[in-house]
Amino acid sequence: MNKKSILVTGGAGFIGSHLVRHFVKKYQDKYYIINLDKLTYAGNLENLKDIENYDNYKFIKGDIKDIELVNTIFEKYNIHSVIHLAAESHVDRSIENPLEFVTTNIIGTLTLLNAAKKHWKNDDDNVFYHVSTDEVYGSLGETGKFLETTSYDPRSPYSASKASSDHFVRAYSHTFGLNTMISNCSNNYGPYQFPEKLIPLIINNIVNNKTLPVYGDGKNIRDWLYVEDHVKAIDQILHKGKYNETYNIGGDNEWMNIEIVHKLCDTVDEKLGRSPGTSRKLITFVKDRPGHDRRYAIDSAKLKSEIGWLPETDFATGLEKTVDWYLNSQDWLENVTSGEYLNYYKKQYEQ
Ligand code: NAD
Ligand code: TDX
């Protein structure tokens, strides 16, 4: 059978590596997966070691902003669809250095859209799928949830750049007739997440007896989804969703940050045989993130009713799997934190 080529961008990152693994293994006879990734501090080929020799998989190191490279990939591999994840993804870094977020997240997306527009002619089933975030909708009060129809109100340089890239994707479908899909997902957690994000950072610091920085009063709320459930949602939307539509993806799983930190302290203490309460003493309330969004909550009723997706991993199970993975992946942690990340965080937290 002739395999269709799918270009996945950012496949060496956290969500991208789970997505690449899922697609390469599940669709061995159907899709040839090409993973284009620049390997920034957040991208790591160790995340994909187990599938690197599959014959329906190819890795290409490169930048999504590289017009020539992107066009060559479209031509050489006859790209049928794109699942676009490559991005600068960390809100704190976007506050430090917004320009990098504009170039990668906006201009990078535009570069891919232009290539798709150029190469896809008269073929009804090419799709440009943009993996986006719930942060484009802004911040909620104590009640309510984000719907697909909620107005965009991004508040950080990161979310402004993702909102802009969403707008460009919609503009290309409206103006040029490109088949597109967008999904806006809540906070993901699970193995291979770079340890600058809340959950892996806290686990890593607990293990190393370092302070646990909680921003502001710790009562900001996020809706957490196990990364593999996100990947399954993307798979189902790609295959069953409608062109030029948006789907919200969430876990119906809201927690205050401080509650998560408490859970992690207690779980890791138990697993490491430390006496109860040991790690909670490491919690330090630090200066709040500028413009810190208070609450995110996703209404994924559309995805559930139209596509039939449901999250499969409950939070207790997902969190335990995640803690176990980090406790057993000290080499990976050392490897990914030995470079630029440490310099960045030295500036943030270490005196
Ligand atoms: P990540 O930071 O772990 O990975 C990003 C990947 O993109 C890395 O492998 C990096 O090397 C690559 N990359 C960055 N700039 C690039 C460039 N110019 N060219 C090519 N590759 C480049 O991010 P993640 O958490 O896996 O997020 C993936 C996508 O999902 C992002 O678009 C993000 O906005 C979105 N998203 C993330 C979450 C979450 O909770 N992590 C939730 C919703 C949506
Ligand atoms: O050290 C910390 N202390 C702390 O209190 C860190 C890193 C975070 N926090 C807080 C800030 C947030 O309220 O924890 C919450 C989660 O923070 P992050 O892990 O940085 O995630 P968030 O800012 O919510 O954004 C994430 O979810 C949506 C991803 O980074 C985005 O890429 C995604 O789009």
Side-chain angles (χ1 to χ4, degrees):
M1 196 173 95
N2 230 354
K3 293 186 193 100
K4 287 178 177 166
S5 297
I6 297 188
L7 175 62
V8 176
T9 68
F14 165 50
I15 301 170
S17 61
H18 287 275
L19 182 128
V20 165
R21 180 177 299 100
H22 173 92
F23 272 74
V24 165
K25 287 189 168 178
K26 181 171 172 187
Y27 298 113
Q28 281 183 60
D29 299 325
K30 189 169 175 190
Y31 297 135
Y32 185 53
I33 302 297
I34 292 143
N35 172 11
L36 172 63
D37 197 297
K38 187 180 169 186
L39 301 182
T40 68
Y41 77 94
N44 191 333
L45 287 180
E46 268 195 54
N47 301 359
L48 288 164
K49 260 202 146 53
D50 54 323
I51 56 122
E52 66 189 7
N53 293 323
Y54 277 61
D55 61 12
N56 64 328
Y57 171 66
K58 172 151 189 79
F59 174 72
I60 298 172
K61 183 175 184 299
D63 195 320
I64 54 166
K65 300 189 294 296
D66 184 336
I67 298 173
E68 206 182 313
L69 173 69
V70 168
N71 278 299
T72 305
I73 293 172
F74 265 77
E75 270 159 36
K76 185 168 173 197
Y77 297 100
N78 189 21
I79 297 301
H80 178 271
S81 291
V82 174
I83 307 176
H84 173 38
L85 297 100
E88 286 294 333
S89 70
H90 194 46
V91 174
D92 293 329
R93 287 178 188 256
S94 82
I95 295 165
E96 286 264 307
N97 183 12
L99 191 58
E100 191 70 31
F101 286 68
V102 172
T103 54
T104 286
N105 299 2
I106 305 177
I107 297 175
T109 301
L110 203 58
T111 306
L112 294 163
L113 285 167
N114 280 334
K117 170 174 163 278
K118 181 172 169 184
H119 294 280
W120 293 347
K121 292 193 182 85
N122 308 321
D123 185 345
D124 271 338
D125 67 348
N126 300 119
V127 184
F128 189 102
Y129 188 126
H130 185 221
V131 177
S132 192
T133 171
D134 60 356
E135 301 197 12
V136 297
Y137 298 121
S139 183
L140 291 163
E142 282 177 17
T143 57
K145 291 189 173 200
F146 298 132
L147 288 160
E148 286 82 357
T149 49
T150 302
S151 300
Y152 274 31
D153 183 21
R155 287 147 172 262
S156 72
Y158 164 70
S159 53
S161 70
K162 292 296 289 187
S164 174
S165 53
D166 282 357
H167 287 321
F168 272 106
V169 172
R170 289 199 184 96
Y172 269 58
S173 92
H174 188 75
T175 310
F176 304 114
L178 202 70
N179 293 328
T180 64
M181 291 175 169
I182 298 175
S183 54
N184 296 86
C185 188
S186 61
N187 285 59
N188 285 216
Y189 70 101
Y192 299 110
Q193 186 168 34
F194 196 83
E196 64 186 348
K197 305 289 201 298
L198 180 72
I199 288 180
L201 178 118
I202 295 295
I203 298 172
N204 197 21
N205 284 14
I206 295 172
V207 171
N208 293 299
N209 277 309
K210 286 178 154 178
T211 56
L212 311 179
V214 175
Y215 298 165
D217 64 4
K219 292 186 179 156
N220 299 64
I221 291 174
R222 299 288 182 266
D223 171 359
W224 294 91
L225 181 69
Y226 193 63
V227 60
E228 287 176 5
D229 283 330
H230 184 191
V231 166
K232 287 176 191 161
I234 294 171
D235 180 352
Q236 291 178 37
I237 293 167
L238 183 76
H239 292 100
K240 297 190 218 161
K242 294 193 194 111
Y243 294 147
N244 314 325
E245 290 271 331
T246 294
Y247 296 88
N248 279 352
I249 311 173
D252 289 323
N253 183 38
E254 290 180 51
W255 295 93
M256 284 193 263
N257 294 335
I258 189 67
E259 295 175 305
I260 305 243
V261 174
H262 284 156
K263 276 177 192 296
L264 292 172
C265 286
D266 299 347
T267 308
V268 177
D269 280 351
E270 197 192 322
K271 289 191 184 278
L272 295 185
R274 295 179 182 170
S275 45
T278 306
S279 298
R280 287 193 186 211
K281 294 191 191 112
L282 297 168
I283 294 173
T284 312
F285 290 91
V286 298
K287 197 165 152 280
D288 210 353
R289 171 186 281 174
H292 196 176
D293 287 339
R294 192 64 172 170
R295 175 172 167 260
Y296 303 142
I298 274 276
D299 185 330
S300 25
K302 176 178 172 183
L303 177 60
K304 289 172 182 157
S305 64
E306 287 186 17
I307 312 272
W309 173 87
L310 277 176
E312 290 167 20
T313 309
D314 68 76
F315 197 45
T317 310
L319 212 55
E320 179 154 15
K321 270 165 106 169
T322 305
V323 167
D324 285 340
W325 187 86
Y326 280 94
L327 294 182
N328 291 319
S329 303
Q330 291 302 307
D331 287 351
W332 181 89
L333 273 166
E334 257 164 52
N335 180 5
V336 302
T337 56
S338 58
E340 191 202 332
Y341 165 81
L342 275 189
N343 296 331
Y344 176 79
Y345 275 91
K346 262 185 198 134
K347 250 192 355 205
Q348 297 270 310
Y349 298 120
E350 287 174 18
Q351 279 76 44

